[in-house]
Amino acid sequence: MSGNDGQLPYLDTFSKAAELSSFTAAGKVLGMTQAAVSQRIHALEKELGVALFERRGGRVFLTDAGQRLYAHAERILELHRQARQEVTGEKAPIRGELLLAASSIPGEHLLPAILSIFRRKYPDVRVKVEVTDSVKVMDQVEKGQVHLGLVGRKIDDPNLSFKEFATDEMVVIVPPNHRWHRRKRIAFKQFKKEPLILREQGSGSRWCFEQALTRSDHSLDDLQIALELGSNEAIKESVLEGMGVSVLSTHAVQKELKAKDLHAVTVPELTLERKLFIVIDKRRVLPAPARIFLHFLEGCPGAGTAP
């Protein structure tokens, strides 16, 4: 060990670089150059005699040793914050940026209420949300463009982990003047004859519907697909115009069903329940705002079952 009585230098720089997976980005946040960040990290690695980061695809990721150090570094930095608070009597607010991406159902129908509560509790956290389809959300998480994603499906990817945070149910929707408007359920043989409006490829809702078809030994080839659209709002308008029926989340049509602008029926042969997931890149460490939001979301009353 070198000087400083064995103390580890530059833990704040190390933690920021770990959270952002970038020396350049860490330097911008800390007000220093990329070279200065690199020098600090090198000094810390020299002190410990181990490599803390590895470079892949233009990003930096923690090694196993780096992962272990990060856990300790965060505890040490938190003790510093607590000491400052107790000495000065001033509670340091949670600050920073929280970058989220969400597919349409969690993004449009669950997040607004959740973020309303979160913002009241943590007003100094700047939240940015992009709503897109599930495939693009997972891609953004894996590329480090957002901290967390909320999606309606999961995939096998060694870099990603998925945590269930809510459930969803999908139903067949028809306009109020449709011949099924007084029915509660219909047989699949009737459903497959109707013009069908689908979400686009990459949508979690589309994937869920295709999985339900597969489980019942059917496929999209058995159906009369009339139209594919990239938003739930466009689909609802098309159904109201009589262009076909569709299968959408009850979250997406809750208001229309309550107002009787649309009518919902089920197809007993199709199981149209699904789980909604938080997606995280296992290779990265989450900054404090993202860790707090993840913990908040896992116990949030705004998430849960479909209405």
Side-chain angles (χ1 to χ4, degrees):
M1 300 282 280
S2 61
N4 298 325
D5 297 325
Q7 295 178 16
L8 298 176
Y10 308 130
L11 288 180
D12 54 345
T13 304
F14 163 76
S15 291
K16 190 58 64 178
E19 291 168 0
L20 297 175
S21 296
S22 167
F23 291 174
T24 301
K28 289 180 179 179
V29 172
L30 297 171
M32 63 180 67
T33 64
Q34 182 269 341
V37 173
S38 295
Q39 289 172 358
R40 288 187 170 193
I41 299 301
H42 178 70
L44 181 57
E45 289 178 327
K46 185 177 180 181
E47 176 77 17
L48 292 169
V50 295
L52 300 173
F53 290 93
E54 58 181 344
R55 289 166 175 79
R56 296 200 303 268
R59 310 288 291 184
V60 294
F61 297 94
L62 290 174
T63 61
D64 289 343
Q67 291 278 2
R68 292 193 294 272
L69 178 61
Y70 180 80
H72 290 290
E74 279 304 289
R75 287 199 292 271
I76 292 168
L77 293 173
E78 178 57 29
L79 284 172
H80 286 179
R81 288 189 284 267
Q82 290 177 11
R84 182 181 295 273
Q85 177 182 329
E86 290 192 15
V87 171
T88 65
E90 297 178 359
K91 184 176 181 180
I94 301 297
R95 300 184 185 275
E97 194 170 58
L98 172 61
L99 304 178
L100 304 174
S103 59
S104 59
I105 294 305
E108 295 173 359
H109 301 284
L110 297 180
L111 264 185
I114 292 170
L115 288 176
S116 175
I117 302 170
F118 182 78
R119 285 283 295 159
R120 289 198 295 271
K121 193 169 184 179
Y122 302 101
D124 293 294
V125 174
R126 301 187 306 277
V127 182
K128 295 183 180 179
V129 182
E130 180 176 348
V131 179
T132 182
D133 64 55
S134 290
V135 170
K136 291 178 182 176
V137 171
M138 291 184 279
D139 184 59
Q140 287 180 300
V141 172
E142 191 161 16
K143 289 180 178 177
Q145 296 170 346
V146 297
H147 300 132
L148 299 168
L150 305 177
V151 294
R153 58 176 293 190
K154 63 179 180 178
I155 59 174
D156 291 326
D157 187 309
N159 296 329
L160 301 179
S161 67
F162 296 83
K163 295 183 178 182
E164 180 185 347
F165 80 99
T167 58
D168 187 21
E169 181 182 358
M170 299 173 66
V171 291
V172 177
I173 57 167
V174 303
N177 59 352
H178 194 277
R179 66 182 183 281
W180 295 343
H181 78 284
R182 295 186 184 278
R183 301 279 299 274
K184 291 185 177 180
R185 58 183 63 86
I186 50 135
F188 183 82
K189 64 181 180 180
Q190 297 173 288
F191 172 69
K192 71 178 184 179
K193 296 176 183 178
E194 287 292 302
L196 181 64
I197 304 170
L198 282 179
R199 280 292 303 268
E200 80 287 2
Q201 286 278 1
S203 158
S205 299
R206 164 80 170 256
W207 179 84
C208 174
F209 178 58
E210 290 180 355
Q211 293 296 304
L213 288 172
T214 300
R215 288 192 296 269
S216 64
D217 295 323
H218 296 293
S219 72
L220 292 179
D221 293 335
D222 299 324
L223 306 177
Q224 306 299 316
I225 300 173
L227 192 61
E228 293 187 21
L229 293 171
S231 80
N232 294 328
E233 294 302 314
I235 287 177
K236 288 187 286 187
E237 289 299 319
S238 298
V239 171
L240 287 170
E241 291 293 329
M243 299 178 67
V245 304
S246 189
V247 178
L248 288 180
S249 163
T250 52
H251 286 295
V253 295
Q254 184 180 10
K255 293 179 181 178
E256 289 81 3
L257 294 179
K258 187 175 181 179
K260 301 189 184 303
D261 293 329
L262 290 171
H263 177 70
V265 296
T266 60
V267 182
E269 292 97 321
L270 299 179
T271 302
L272 293 171
E273 295 178 348
R274 64 170 176 165
K275 298 176 181 178
L276 301 178
F277 300 96
I278 310 163
V279 56
I280 304 167
D281 190 325
K282 294 184 290 189
R283 300 169 300 172
R284 293 181 169 87
V285 294
L286 294 174
R291 292 198 304 272
I292 290 168
F293 181 75
L294 179 61
H295 180 72
F296 174 84
L297 187 59
E298 290 172 339
C300 183
T305 57

